[in-house]
């Protein structure tokens, strides 16, 4: 992929949640969901974000769109700091950046027809006349592979894959430039997943979209992404082009993650990397490199000093003392 203009970038982005005592628990502290993340996302690319459940990737996605406010650090969209946006400018940003949620069942109001659900962003932003909005709803339904006459039906009358198509149509209603896809196919059957992924790829070309694609499914990310970032316990540990990362991961965590991914040919030779122990708590992460208690290559420096996330080769970033 040829690198073009940067549409979104972050500087030392951090998100922490206060932990309050509740019930019989008297535990207090901070949940360190995202820690000092700096990244760049280019116009027209699919930026994959992977990691184990609880690593902070979905939280990072919400902070990137200012659905949640960061604790520290900054997010810039087309060179403008999101933190400086007033109510009116933030509303304009909402037209340019949309989200596709993981669960299409809970993302749609069951009391409204799908035509009304897709039209709702247009109503909120006062886009077009009622007739123009109805025409756009019909066109969007056709674009995502549904029938315009289905606009009068309710969400419960559709399958999971069809509901996700409705969610995608709603996300496209305002002609956004950036779409955050948070586990968009994880709740669907495998055969339906392929249909939705292919639809997203087609729409990216047709609408000139930029995707931030969050997933724990490495095979899906390999298929759709241009570059991939790997997160562990709230921090980026590796960032590279898809081919480079999948062919030769540099960080020990990336190696373990990819070695555990299912392969189409179970008889093909492979070298599994078995990690010991459990993922540390984000409330009390280890000193130094947060991965060192489980790392098969850990050295004394790893427990003392936090590795710098740095560019070790052109377009290859890693946070590891040994690389």
């Amino acid at each position: 992929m040829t690198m073009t203009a940067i549409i979104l970038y972050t500087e030392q982005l951090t998100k922490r949640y206060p932990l309050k005592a509740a019930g019989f628990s008297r535990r207090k502290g901070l949940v360190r969901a995202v820690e000092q993340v700096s990244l760049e996302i280019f116009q027209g690319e699919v930026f994959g974000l992977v990691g184990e459940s609880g690593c902070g990737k979905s939280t990072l996605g919400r902070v990137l769109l200012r659905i949640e406010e960061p604790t520290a650090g900054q997010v810039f969209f087309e060179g403008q700091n999101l933190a400086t946006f007033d109510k009116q400018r933030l509303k304009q940003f909402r037209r340019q950046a949309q989200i596709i949620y993981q669960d299409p069942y809970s993302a749609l109001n069951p009391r409204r027809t799908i035509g009304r659900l897709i039209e709702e962003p247009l109503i909120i932003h006062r886009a077009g006349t009622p007739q123009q909005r109805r025409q756009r709803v019909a066109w969007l339904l056709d674009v995502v592979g549904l029938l315009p006459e289905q606009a009068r039906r309710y969400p419960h009358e559709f399958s999971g894959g069809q509901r996700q198509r409705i969610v995608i149509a709603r996300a496209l209603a305002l002609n956004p430039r950036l779409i955050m896809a948070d586990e968009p196919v994880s709740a669907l059957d495998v055969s339906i997943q392929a249909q939705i992924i292919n639809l997203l790829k087609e729409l990216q070309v047709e609408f000139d979209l930029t995707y931030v694609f969050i997933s724990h499914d490495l095979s899906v990310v390999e298929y759709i992404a241009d570059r991939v970032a790997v997160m562990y316990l709230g921090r980026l540990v590796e960032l590279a082009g898809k081919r480079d990362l999948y062919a030769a991961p540099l960080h020990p965590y990336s190696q373990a993650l990819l070695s555990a991914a299912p392969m189409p040919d179970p008889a093909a030779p492979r070298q599994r990397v078995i990690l010991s122990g459990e993922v540390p708590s984000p409330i009390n992460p280890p000193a130094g490199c947060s991965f060192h208690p489980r790392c098969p290559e850990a050295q004394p420096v790893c427990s003392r000093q936090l590795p710098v996330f740095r560019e070790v080769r052109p377009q290859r970033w890693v946070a590891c003392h040994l690389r």
Side-chain angles (χ1 to χ4, degrees):
M1 183 195 71
T2 302
M3 298 303 177
T4 57
I6 296 172
I7 188 171
L8 186 144
Y9 70 95
T10 70
E11 293 180 351
Q12 299 295 303
L13 195 62
T14 298
K15 179 63 179 179
R16 298 173 178 174
Y17 298 96
L19 186 67
K20 300 179 181 179
F24 292 104
S25 173
R26 292 293 178 264
R27 196 174 188 184
K28 296 183 179 180
L30 291 172
V31 178
R32 303 170 188 270
V34 177
E35 285 290 312
Q36 299 178 347
V37 170
S38 297
L39 55 81
E40 298 175 341
I41 298 171
F42 296 95
Q43 172 66 38
E45 78 168 328
V46 180
F47 185 89
L49 191 58
V50 302
E52 293 172 290
S53 297
C55 70
K57 54 188 185 293
S58 292
T59 301
L60 175 59
R62 291 193 299 271
V63 175
L64 289 178
L65 296 189
R66 205 177 151 183
I67 296 172
E68 295 193 34
E69 298 291 340
T71 304
Q74 297 174 316
V75 183
F76 293 85
F77 180 77
E78 296 184 331
Q80 296 181 303
N81 190 344
L82 293 189
T84 66
F85 287 3
D86 58 16
K87 185 177 181 180
Q88 184 61 33
R89 180 64 185 92
L90 188 60
K91 186 176 181 180
Q92 295 173 5
F93 171 67
R94 297 285 180 236
R95 297 185 64 138
Q96 299 170 303
Q98 290 287 310
I99 188 168
I100 299 172
Y101 289 101
Q102 175 178 356
D103 184 9
Y105 294 89
S106 59
L108 300 172
N109 187 337
R111 297 186 177 185
R112 292 187 174 179
T113 64
I114 66 164
R116 174 69 184 208
L117 291 169
I118 297 172
E119 186 185 8
E120 190 170 24
L122 299 169
I123 295 172
I124 291 172
H125 290 270
R126 300 178 181 177
T129 64
Q131 182 179 0
Q132 289 172 332
R133 291 197 295 264
R134 286 193 296 271
Q135 290 174 347
R136 182 159 181 83
V137 168
W139 178 74
L140 286 168
L141 286 171
D142 182 62
V143 164
V144 300
L146 297 173
L147 299 175
E149 51 266 31
Q150 292 177 312
R152 296 186 295 271
R153 295 169 61 180
Y154 289 84
H156 74 271
E157 300 179 69
F158 295 88
S159 67
Q162 289 175 321
R163 292 189 200 193
Q164 196 60 292
R165 291 174 187 269
I166 296 164
V167 171
I168 293 170
R170 184 174 59 180
L172 294 173
L174 294 168
N175 278 325
R177 301 191 61 202
L178 173 70
I179 287 186
M180 184 77 58
D182 187 3
E183 302 271 13
V185 297
S186 63
L188 307 176
D189 294 337
V190 174
S191 60
I192 305 301
Q193 287 183 11
Q195 296 176 19
I196 298 300
I197 291 298
N198 287 329
L199 174 64
L200 290 173
K201 287 175 71 70
E202 293 168 6
L203 294 174
Q204 183 196 14
V205 176
E206 183 174 351
F207 289 84
D208 189 25
L209 296 169
T210 302
Y211 290 140
V212 177
F213 194 92
I214 301 171
S215 181
H216 64 272
D217 191 327
L218 296 173
S219 60
V220 169
V221 173
E222 183 180 15
Y223 178 68
I224 196 171
D226 297 305
R227 291 188 302 145
V228 182
V230 182
M231 283 192 76
Y232 182 79
L233 212 63
R235 296 181 183 273
L236 293 188
V237 296
E238 188 165 355
L239 170 59
K242 170 182 64 178
R243 292 182 180 177
D244 291 335
L245 180 70
Y246 280 78
L250 296 180
H251 196 280
Y253 175 65
S254 303
Q255 294 170 1
L257 205 62
L258 289 169
S259 76
M263 296 182 66
D265 182 6
R270 66 187 305 181
Q271 184 177 357
R272 284 294 309 272
V273 179
I274 307 298
L275 299 178
S276 60
E278 300 291 333
V279 179
S281 169
I283 301 171
N284 185 27
C289 174
S290 56
F291 185 61
H292 85 264
R294 306 174 70 196
C295 181
E297 303 179 36
Q299 301 296 317
V301 66
C302 301
S303 61
R304 299 193 306 266
Q305 184 177 341
L306 181 69
V308 177
F309 188 64
R310 68 195 191 284
E311 191 173 21
V312 295
R313 300 176 194 171
Q315 301 301 322
R316 294 213 68 174
W317 297 73
V318 68
C320 182
H321 293 298
L322 308 179
R323 302 294 188 265

